[in-house]
Amino acid sequence: MWQFFHKLGSPKWFFGIATRLMPWLLAGGILLLVAGIVWGLAFAPRDYLQGNSYRIIFIHVPTAFLAQSVYIMMAVAAVVTLVWRMKLADVFVKAVAPVGLVLTFLALFTGAVWGKPTWGTWWIWDARLTSMLILLFLYGGVIALDRAINDEKSAARAVAVLVLVGVVNIPIIKYSVEWWNTLHQPATFKLTEKPSMPADMWVPLLLSVLGLYLLFGWLACLRMQTEILLREQRTRWVKDYVTAGRG
Amino acid sequence: MAFDSFSAFLVMEGHGPYVWACYGVFFILLVTMMVWSVRRHKAVIEYCRRGYEFRAGRSGQQVVRGAPAAFTRVNVSQD
């Protein structure tokens, strides 16, 4: 167990594993995402209440879902950074924060465009939408704070604290549709219940969620590798890797 | 297929612009983010390689410069 933990902290070991995983993540991610989206756009039945505008769900839910789980992953990594000072955890936070920012923006954008034909408005300051906007600012804050501090170790610690403070927002997003009166509909998927929609709708949705997860995995691996190369450029193995002409 | 024709698929009973705008922005941002990350990865590899070459070149020059470290007597007339 400790040996595994120790290995996990080694950038070189991670670099090798990521290189082997990445082709599978990319291929699987594109395949599942395209399958889910084509099925959802062209073959899923129309919604009896919302008509065809509901087809935005096949990208809105995956982006919103991932935007929140990326933040939770960052929070776990932040704890690891603060408690065990593991370098890779900080590399993860730094590598995925911009991805989280883009995903949150996409969730907000697709939500706004879906809101117009469904609710009659692009934006409303209700609990779910506002807490998602705060998540966007949190991602922005993490990126800005990391760039503002030159010293790597101080930046890692400050960013970890900010990420942990911001994690209080996640349950607020999750339960906002239950705690307050909101225009937003309740969760589409619940772990404890069967989906209330027909299989023709939830299967493509599940496919696109999984596809986007895999693509995020690919992006995270690639961006972490970039960061590792930058940080470890003085080490022997990075020099060997770069000069071996793998670029 | 949930639609009778391809044009019906594009129009989506009037919801077409909303649906296609979402999918358009989604794919543009996703692909841009992926391409940008790959290009940055390559740029960092190139940056590291240049760094190694620069350092190798500099240490090589030092060796060369260190070798003929001798004074050359220059005869200048004092008259």
Side-chain angles (χ1 to χ4, degrees):
Chain A
M1 169 70 197
W2 274 110
Q3 202 186 358
F4 174 75
F5 209 61
H6 187 71
K7 266 190 180 171
L8 201 64
S10 148
K12 185 186 172 188
W13 181 82
F14 172 81
F15 201 95
I17 290 284
T19 308
R20 257 181 282 163
L21 269 180
M22 278 166 64
W24 298 101
L25 289 171
L26 183 64
I30 290 176
L31 202 75
L32 286 179
L33 190 65
V34 168
I37 283 177
V38 169
W39 187 348
L41 268 179
F43 298 97
R46 76 191 280 282
D47 187 71
Y48 76 100
L49 200 61
Q50 298 186 12
N52 283 310
S53 68
Y54 99 94
R55 292 181 198 279
I56 295 172
I57 203 174
F58 299 107
I59 47 175
H60 176 72
V61 167
T63 48
F65 203 76
L66 218 63
Q68 293 168 68
S69 48
V70 168
Y71 199 89
I72 295 172
M73 291 182 228
M74 277 170 54
V76 173
V79 172
V80 175
T81 304
L82 288 177
V83 177
W84 290 288
R85 307 245 188 274
M86 198 186 276
K87 269 196 258 174
L88 261 188
D90 172 47
V91 168
F92 175 80
V93 172
K94 199 174 171 178
V96 302
V99 182
L101 182 87
V102 172
L103 288 170
T104 313
F105 171 79
L106 277 170
L108 284 167
F109 178 82
T110 53
V113 177
W114 190 5
K116 186 64 185 165
T118 314
W119 304 333
T121 177
W122 300 101
W123 183 263
I124 181 171
W125 292 100
D126 90 344
R128 173 56 77 84
L129 281 69
T130 310
S131 53
M132 267 313 262
L133 188 68
I134 292 172
L135 185 68
L136 184 80
F137 294 154
L138 276 170
Y139 276 122
V142 166
I143 297 168
L145 186 65
D146 182 62
R147 298 207 173 162
I149 304 173
N150 275 331
D151 179 55
E152 207 174 82
K153 280 183 185 161
S154 319
R157 242 168 287 159
V159 164
V161 170
L162 175 62
V163 170
L164 284 180
V165 170
V167 85
V168 69
N169 191 37
I170 295 293
I172 296 181
I173 298 176
K174 173 95 179 73
Y175 293 107
S176 55
V177 283
E178 291 165 25
W179 290 344
W180 292 286
N181 262 329
T182 155
L183 278 181
H184 200 283
Q185 62 207 42
T188 312
F189 283 130
K190 281 184 184 146
L191 284 176
T192 47
E193 292 169 27
K194 259 184 84 175
S196 52
M197 41 163 71
D200 259 1
M201 289 181 181
W202 70 257
V203 175
L205 183 55
L206 195 65
L207 288 181
S208 47
V209 170
L210 289 175
L212 199 63
Y213 249 105
L214 294 183
L215 279 186
F216 164 76
W218 178 80
L219 267 170
C221 283
L222 177 71
R223 297 175 64 90
M224 282 175 79
Q225 283 193 329
T226 312
E227 186 63 28
I228 288 172
L229 285 179
L230 262 182
R231 290 190 185 193
E232 307 277 313
Q233 54 180 298
R234 306 260 168 198
T235 59
R236 185 80 222 167
W237 72 270
V238 169
K239 192 174 178 184
D240 289 344
Y241 175 80
V242 168
T243 48
R246 302 280 292 276
Chain B
M1 185 106 177
F3 299 94
D4 299 330
S5 64
F6 188 69
S7 57
F9 174 59
L10 290 182
V11 174
M12 292 209 170
E13 297 169 332
H15 286 153
Y18 300 108
V19 175
W20 295 119
C22 280
Y23 279 84
V25 171
F26 173 73
F27 277 110
I28 289 172
L29 282 186
L30 190 68
V31 171
T32 308
M33 189 161 59
M34 289 166 74
V35 170
W36 192 80
S37 299
V38 170
R39 287 175 70 163
R40 186 171 142 72
H41 188 79
K42 288 185 174 163
V44 164
I45 289 180
E46 192 53 36
Y47 165 79
C48 289
R49 191 182 356 243
R50 289 215 183 128
Y52 298 138
E53 280 170 9
F54 176 71
R55 259 170 260 145
R58 207 174 49 177
S59 57
Q61 271 175 11
Q62 275 170 353
V63 173
V64 174
R65 218 190 299 148
F71 290 105
T72 320
R73 187 175 289 273
V74 181
N75 291 317
V76 179
S77 166
Q78 299 292 315
D79 297 332

